[in-house]
């Protein structure tokens, strides 16, 4: 099974056109995509999780 591509947070923020602060506010409310924190402290988001989250946002808006 192929692993999903892992995106850096700046890549995610650029794609969804959102500031880091706004993203973390959404995350605190449980409304943001799942994050994976690496041992070195960096954060990654899987492409599959981001796509699923983005799709759920579109469904809620409809």
């Amino acid at each position: 099974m192929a692993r999903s591509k892992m995106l850096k947070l700046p890549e995610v923020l650029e794609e969804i056109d959102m500031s880091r602060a706004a993203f973390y506010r959404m995350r605190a409310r449980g409304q943001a995509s799942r994050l994976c924190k690496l041992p070195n402290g960096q954060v990654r988001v899987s492409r599959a999780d981001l796509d699923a989250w983005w799709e759920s946002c579109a469904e809620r808006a409809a």
Side-chain angles (χ1 to χ4, degrees), residues 1-6 46-49:
M1 183 172 166
R3 285 186 8 194
S4 178
K5 179 177 179 174
M6 299 299 282
S46 81
R47 167 53 64 188
D49 285 344

Side-chain angles (χ1 to χ4, degrees), residues 37-43:
K37 191 168 187 178
L38 301 178
N40 64 3
Q42 293 182 357
V43 175

Side-chain angles (χ1 to χ4, degrees), residues 24-54:
Y24 276 106
R25 280 193 303 270
M26 285 184 69
R27 186 169 182 259
R29 293 188 304 256
Q31 299 173 335
S33 178
R34 251 182 6 172
L35 300 179
C36 176
K37 191 168 187 178
L38 301 178
N40 64 3
Q42 293 182 357
V43 175
R44 298 287 189 273
V45 178
S46 81
R47 167 53 64 188
D49 285 344
L50 180 62
D51 289 344
W53 172 76
W54 199 239

Side-chain angles (χ1 to χ4, degrees), residues 9-19 22-23 26 32-33 47 50 53-54 57:
L9 188 56
E11 295 172 320
V12 171
L13 297 174
E14 182 178 334
E15 184 173 326
I16 64 175
D17 193 27
M18 185 179 287
S19 72
F23 183 83
M26 285 184 69
S33 178
R47 167 53 64 188
L50 180 62
W53 172 76
W54 199 239
C57 289

